[in-house]
Amino acid sequence: MTETPIRVRFAPSPTGMFHVGGARSALFNWALARQRSGGEFVLRIEDTDAARNKPEWTEGIIRALAWLGISEADPHFEGPYFQSAYADKHRETAERLYKDGKAYFCDCTREQVQERRDNPHLGYDGFCRDRGLEPGPGRALRFRVPDGGPTVVDDQIRGRVEFDNASIEDFVIARADGSPLFVLANVVDDVEMGINEVIRGEEHLSNTPKQQLLWEALGHTPPGWAHLPVIVNEKRQKLSKRRDKVALESYQGEGYLPEAMVNYLMLLGWAPGEDREIMPWSEMEPLFRISEVNSSSAFFDEKKLRAFNGEYIRALSADEFAERCRPWLAPGTAPWPAENYDDAVFRAIAPLAQSRVTVLSEIVPNVDFLFLDAPVEDEKSWSKAMKPGVGAEMLTAALERFADPGLAWEAEPLKAALEEVGTGLGLKLGKAQAPIRVAVTGRTVGLPLFESLELLGRERVRARLAAALAELTAREAAAGASE
Ligand code: GLU
């Protein structure tokens, strides 16, 4: 027996930034399409809402999918198709449903519809059902929902979901101007494109009985359905673009690796089992089963995503890590003058940063001291490190010690030298380091100090210590004068 190859689709509306929820739907569909030979993932851009669509959102969707590894070049990828190109088919189908008596025209005004909804009937009461209205201005086309019996949606995640037909109103499929509504256009396209599995977000579950009725009215077997659980924030609220960080691009911009993102998104409602969570796409793809997806809401835990990302970053080779950091080091993006950048210096320090950063953009504050003319000014770090009795004393003593040409300018001897200076002032190494670190890097936390000093070089280190000392003296004088 030959099985019909699976044909799934991802059908985003290009009305905004590409959402992490959309990315999860796309990935689940992608996994299923790629599991078997002949499986296809159809990308259909539902661009019929001209007022809200923008070409850049469409480009953003295609770019985001490619970033996730859903590539147009893959043989399992089909499209993109644009819904707007099928407008004639949508209109023809609406007409056919009318001619077959499966839909009727309705001239009720919005107010009348509202009134009819308010009476005990659930939804529009079918007032125009048997009035035999011809097409005409101000007349919308409504689908005649069959009387009696429930419509049963067999959902692969939720099981059997029953909708009483009496509670499904005769819904509009084409507006008075003839333009089709989402419920219809979406089904017509799915039928035309031979889609046999519809996997989409839970928010569409209420459309499903209507759409299933349309499939049947058009003489086709409805597809398999699966409605993915909503994604919620830490307050268990549905992720919203107004409140939460939902755009995939923001994560990309911060330096999340696509492989970490893909791994994390796959776990929003599904788990590969055996207590494994960190798992590359290549292993997840064949394991994924839609029937194993959980119906309860999935918590989008940014902290966990960040931890995943850190793990993926640490697993990169040193070269790969340096490569991936490039976009953040590029002229125009990086905060230092382009001519100060030295790739050999970056490559030397990169392995130390690799174990510390959790998103790639953090590379910048870790290495900026090497390429800026002067370290960043961070008042908090400064006041923490430059305490009276420690700051000026340490800076002065280190300046002197570091001037000694007999001191080899390498991490180990530098550490020993600073330890000795600190001991002379009755300070442990941790305390003794702080003013030096802030003077040289601008911050109290960062990469290992002595390797940093080695890379920066004796002259620049001494110049920064001297500058910090001058600043500290000036501040103390100003404070003294104002007392
Ligand atoms: N264009 C719809 C949306 O973005 C897709 C609906 C579907 O997947 O059927 O919500």
Side-chain angles (χ1 to χ4, degrees):
M1 212 177 77
T2 53
E3 219 182 306
T4 319
I6 191 169
R7 284 182 66 79
V8 291
R9 83 318 190 255
F10 178 55
S13 307
T15 53
M17 301 283 261
F18 190 56
H19 193 288
V20 290
R24 184 217 26 200
S25 299
L27 286 168
F28 282 9
N29 278 291
W30 185 236
L32 295 171
R34 281 183 42 103
Q35 283 173 355
R36 300 257 168 86
S37 73
E40 286 294 317
F41 170 99
V42 174
L43 174 61
R44 181 175 72 238
I45 306 288
E46 300 210 321
D47 60 343
T48 39
D49 187 348
R52 291 173 66 216
N53 292 170
K54 283 195 199 151
E56 57 264 39
W57 301 135
T58 298
E59 286 153 26
I61 291 168
I62 295 174
R63 234 182 301 120
L65 292 177
W67 185 67
L68 295 172
I70 303 179
S71 146
E72 286 183 83
D74 190 287
H76 295 274
F77 187 104
E78 194 181 306
Y81 298 118
F82 291 85
Q83 187 160 63
S84 53
Y86 299 88
D88 289 347
K89 191 75 204 168
H90 305 147
R91 283 177 194 258
E92 274 167 35
T93 310
E95 243 176 76
R96 200 177 111 206
L97 287 168
Y98 166 65
K99 292 209 170 109
D100 290 351
K102 292 176 176 163
Y104 61 87
F105 282 99
C106 164
D107 65 356
C108 294
T109 60
R110 196 183 290 269
E111 294 71 30
Q112 286 167 334
V113 169
Q114 202 45 51
E115 263 171 43
R116 299 193 176 286
R117 278 204 178 121
D118 291 342
N119 78 24
H121 193 273
L122 297 159
Y124 178 69
D125 63 359
F127 177 72
C128 294
R129 255 189 171 206
D130 301 310
R131 291 178 62 214
L133 294 177
E134 301 274 324
R139 294 180 179 176
L141 190 63
R142 287 185 182 271
F143 182 74
R144 192 186 293 274
V145 173
D147 293 322
T151 294
V152 177
V153 171
D154 228 332
D155 188 279
Q156 298 179 73
I157 297 169
R158 271 145 240 280
R160 196 184 143 90
V161 192
E162 245 186 65
F163 297 86
D164 185 1
N165 282 6
S167 70
I168 308 173
E169 68 175 3
D170 285 350
F171 54 94
V172 176
I173 55 177
R175 298 179 188 89
D177 65 3
S179 61
L181 269 89
F182 161 76
V183 267
L184 178 68
N186 184 259
V187 168
V188 171
D189 292 346
D190 282 345
V191 169
E192 285 297 302
M193 294 171 190
I195 301 304
N196 49 24
E197 297 282 342
V198 168
I199 294 146
R200 59 184 179 181
E202 186 180 315
E203 65 276 14
H204 286 291
L205 185 59
S206 58
N207 290 319
T208 307
K210 300 176 187 171
Q211 296 197 306
Q212 183 162 296
L213 289 169
L214 283 170
W215 275 83
E216 287 162 356
L218 294 171
H220 296 280
T221 310
W225 305 102
H227 291 85
L228 307 177
V230 284
I231 304 180
V232 297
N233 64 18
E234 68 285 349
K235 293 188 185 131
R236 311 303 293 177
Q237 298 159 316
K238 184 174 182 215
L239 281 200
S240 110
K241 64 177 170 195
R242 267 167 294 281
R243 192 179 41 221
D244 306 297
K245 189 165 76 186
V246 297
L248 204 62
E249 250 180 46
S250 326
Y251 291 95
Q252 186 179 2
E254 265 184 66
Y256 282 88
L257 303 184
E259 52 271 50
M261 197 73 201
V262 162
N263 187 158
Y264 185 69
L265 290 171
M266 287 298 287
L267 301 179
L268 294 173
W270 179 72
E274 289 172 27
D275 279 341
R276 283 187 69 194
E277 287 202 305
I278 300 269
M279 189 188 269
W281 172 261
S282 58
E283 282 181 56
M284 280 196 168
E285 185 186 277
L287 289 179
F288 179 74
R289 295 289 175 272
I290 198 74
S291 57
E292 289 172 6
V293 174
N294 206 307
S295 62
S296 43
S297 50
F299 170 34
F300 189 91
D301 183 352
E302 201 183 326
K303 282 202 195 92
K304 186 164 168 180
L305 167 62
R306 223 182 160 87
F308 270 43
N309 204 57
E311 289 220 24
Y312 273 90
I313 285 180
R314 286 188 288 282
L316 296 173
S317 71
D319 277 353
E320 182 66 20
F321 173 70
E323 269 322 299
R324 301 274 193 122
C325 288
R326 295 253 167 260
W328 285 271
L329 310 174
T333 301
W336 48 78
E339 66 276 14
N340 286 6
Y341 180 74
D342 181 335
D343 202 51
V345 169
F346 173 67
R347 285 193 169 264
I349 200 110
L352 296 175
Q354 187 174 357
S355 56
R356 285 173 173 73
V357 303
T358 52
V359 289
L360 292 174
S361 58
E362 285 174 357
I363 192 65
V364 173
N366 271 289
V367 303
D368 61 358
F369 72 95
L370 289 163
F371 310 121
L372 286 167
D373 289 327
V376 292
E377 285 173 31
D378 177 38
E379 215 30 64
K380 243 182 164 169
S381 294
W382 178 278
S383 50
K384 219 161 132 190
M386 303 298 183
K387 295 256 160 55
V390 179
E393 291 73 2
M394 269 310 297
L395 293 173
T396 311
L399 257 174
E400 200 189 309
R401 184 70 188 85
F402 290 173
D404 173 8
L407 172 67
W409 199 259
E410 282 156 19
E412 274 308 310
L414 281 168
K415 181 177 175 199
L418 205 72
E419 214 158 9
E420 189 191 301
V421 169
T423 311
L425 292 166
L427 298 167
K428 291 227 166 67
L429 186 61
K431 274 240 162 68
Q433 276 188 49
I436 309 302
R437 183 185 280 285
V438 170
V440 172
T441 72
R443 300 182 180 86
T444 46
V445 284
L447 301 184
L449 179 62
F450 302 105
E451 281 81 354
S452 301
L453 297 181
E454 183 183 327
L455 269 171
L456 201 58
R458 189 191 303 260
E459 254 172 60
R460 281 202 289 168
V461 167
R462 292 197 70 247
R464 287 183 186 190
L465 295 180
L469 185 58
E471 162 87 22
L472 195 55
T473 314
R475 284 186 186 212
E476 279 171 1
S482 69
E483 264 163 21

